[in-house]
Amino acid sequence: MMKLLLAAPLLLLVLTTLEARPKPAAVKCKTGPLDMVFVIDSSRSVRPFEFETMRRFMIDIIHNLEVGPNATRVGVIQYSSQVQNIFSLKTFFKRADMEKAINSIVPLAQGTMTGLAIQYAMNVAFTVQEGARPLHKKIPRVAVIVTDGRPQDRVTEVAAQARDAGIEIYAVGVQRADMNSLRAMASHPLEEHVFLVESFDLIQQFGKQFQDKLCAIDACADGKHGCEHQCVSARGSYACHCRMGYSLNQDKKTCTMINFCNFGNHSCQHECVSILNGYYCRCNDGFTLQADGKACQATDICNGIDHGCEFKCVSTAGSYHCVCPEGQQLQADGKTCNKCKSGHVDLVLVIDGSKSVRPQNFELVKQFVNQIVDFLDVSPHGTRVGLVQYSSRVRTEFPLNQYKTAEDIKKAVLKVEYMEKGTMTGLALKHMLEHSFSEAEGARPLSQNIPRIGLVFTDGRSQDDISEWARKAKESGITMFAVGVGKAVEEELREIASEPVEQHFSYSTDFSTMTHIVDNLKVNICPEEGKGELEIQSPCECEALVQFQSNTVAILENLTEKLAQLTARLEDLEKQIANKK
């Protein structure tokens, strides 16, 4: 600030000058409506008489504006170390009332927190609650910041936020105001929004120039600009701007959403999809997006569809295919295998029908049973199948000797009714051993060496002891398989299962993902060839045996020939030794 030796006489001179200056012209600035807020520096560096010139600056501009609720609205805030609202955009709609309020301002005379004042203007002064018209009405929002010094806080970031919010900022500096700070605050183009006045004495002359600027800001008001998003007036003309996330097209009027995928740094494994102000990654069909939002992993399609594979389904990228066990070939339908005849078994399935299973899951259990039946060679002299259901009690659904074909068994399984209630797995094992594998219910005599297999399916902890009857079942020669789902207890499953346990026990987290268990059982349930009374030689095994025998004979013949050659050489050596003697 200028150092004045005689403050009182100069103050009198300024007041006299103010009183003697010409009255504002009667012709008002004929623009469209504005929402304009003065942001006035009243820090301690602004002397009282200098503050008076700032009052006159505001009043002169207001006198040349057409003010009113549907015309230009005016608000005033002053700041130093804090911000004070003098009047908001909704307070006054008459120039006389505004002038009276401006003349009543008492300067704060503290620090210079310009950034704080801009923040207040953005968050409070220009809100609809304080009288600003909604943004969709496209009423220009204008902030006029007048300051005489360097801000004591940061202004660059908050000013940028204010401009992005649609506020057009004019920065007016007096005397030793910091030009870099003014440029950081003001809207673009800077040459039209930044003003530096050498002294408060000259601010009145500057007022007329500034009024001309304000009167030119509404070149967008006639609505003929053609801007798709925003019209911004400048120098009596205008420029079209786009909202955040869009770029201006070559016609300088229309806008196109920025394609963030074109920047090449999205790192999406499959596909990048551009959206407003960003992008997201998308995977091809048959893949799921991983937690990083970028990588894709093939979906296990086999667990989600009825694939129809006889032996095993293998998921691939977006598809699947069926495979057969070693020694079998996939048929033309792409699903079934040309089976080598397997041995025959007496198989009893013991399924959990307790309340915890729930009706919809019990239907999945029945489907699971029928999937097992599908890969068995069911016949009176081949594989026999019986079914037992248990909860708080045990019920034979059908014994081993009731059905002769796989189709009949599958139909019977679908008709089984859900029991509900408790989980007496030990009682079910006892029933299986004493009744289901009796000759009266269709089990073939032990003398025929037909393998006996029991498969227990459960979803929870047993309510009775299983140890005794699991042990007795295995001691009686029954090969036990244990299948658990959901809350099934692994310790109990292992106790039921035969050795080696890992080949006779399976677990799935829920009923909808039991497909892999069926695949494992296909490999492990079928017994070795040649067991049982009705021995059926497998063509596959015979072919392998013939090949093995042929290879063995060829090797023996080769060894015999080499042995004969070695014997002849030894005889020659013996003759040579004898001749030397």
Side-chain angles (χ1 to χ4, degrees), residues 351-355 389-394 419-425 427 463:
I351 59 174
D352 185 347
S354 62
K355 188 175 182 179
Q389 182 186 176
Y390 73 95
S391 58
S392 299
R393 56 190 178 88
V394 184
M419 293 175 68
E420 298 193 24
K421 298 188 179 179
T423 311
M424 302 295 284
T425 311
L427 184 63
Q463 294 174 336

Side-chain angles (χ1 to χ4, degrees), residues 213-453:
K213 292 288 184 185
L214 287 180
C215 287
I217 69 170
D218 200 35
C220 301
D222 61 5
K224 298 179 181 179
H225 49 77
C227 298
E228 182 179 358
H229 285 183
Q230 298 172 348
C231 176
V232 178
S233 296
R235 291 185 179 273
S237 183
Y238 67 89
C240 296
H241 289 188
C242 296
R243 293 192 295 270
M244 185 178 295
Y246 291 82
S247 60
L248 195 64
N249 295 328
Q250 291 184 354
D251 61 7
K252 302 299 181 184
K253 293 180 181 292
T254 59
C255 301
T256 299
M257 190 171 73
I258 296 171
N259 190 332
F260 287 88
C261 295
N262 287 342
F263 296 159
N265 59 351
H266 52 75
S267 301
C268 296
Q269 184 177 351
H270 284 182
E271 182 182 0
C272 175
V273 180
S274 184
I275 57 175
L276 184 61
N277 295 322
Y279 68 90
Y280 68 90
C281 297
R282 184 166 61 194
C283 295
N284 297 335
D285 291 343
F287 292 80
T288 55
L289 194 65
Q290 300 303 287
D292 63 1
K294 297 180 183 294
C296 299
Q297 186 175 32
T299 303
D300 188 359
I301 296 178
C302 292
N303 276 335
I305 63 169
D306 183 11
H307 50 76
C309 297
E310 180 181 357
F311 176 69
K312 187 175 183 180
C313 175
V314 178
S315 294
T316 57
S319 184
Y320 72 93
H321 64 271
C322 301
V323 296
C324 294
E326 184 176 356
Q328 298 183 26
Q329 292 182 344
L330 195 65
Q331 297 299 283
D333 61 4
K335 297 181 181 293
T336 59
C337 304
N338 65 330
K339 297 180 182 178
C340 296
K341 289 290 184 181
S342 62
H344 305 126
V345 299
D346 286 343
L347 172 65
V348 175
L349 297 113
V350 183
I351 59 174
D352 185 347
S354 62
K355 188 175 182 179
S356 61
V357 174
R358 300 183 182 276
Q360 64 271 27
N361 289 330
F362 190 72
E363 293 303 312
L364 295 177
V365 173
K366 292 195 289 185
Q367 292 178 23
F368 170 78
V369 170
N370 280 345
Q371 284 179 300
I372 294 174
V373 174
D374 277 336
F375 71 81
L376 298 174
D377 182 20
V378 178
S379 68
H381 299 291
T383 292
R384 299 180 183 181
V385 178
L387 181 64
V388 172
Q389 182 186 176
Y390 73 95
S391 58
S392 299
R393 56 190 178 88
V394 184
R395 182 173 74 202
T396 297
E397 301 294 352
F398 52 83
L400 288 166
N401 57 4
Q402 183 166 348
Y403 297 111
K404 315 303 181 186
T405 67
E407 287 304 314
D408 289 341
I409 292 173
K410 290 167 66 176
K411 289 178 182 177
V413 170
L414 294 177
K415 293 178 181 179
V416 171
E417 295 183 356
Y418 178 37
M419 293 175 68
E420 298 193 24
K421 298 188 179 179
T423 311
M424 302 295 284
T425 311
L427 184 63
L429 291 170
K430 180 177 185 293
H431 180 92
M432 176 196 73
L433 177 62
E434 295 180 344
H435 300 281
S436 301
F437 281 110
S438 66
E439 293 184 25
E441 292 201 2
R444 283 164 284 196
L446 291 173
S447 60
Q448 293 185 11
N449 292 326
I450 301 296
R452 296 182 174 183
I453 295 177

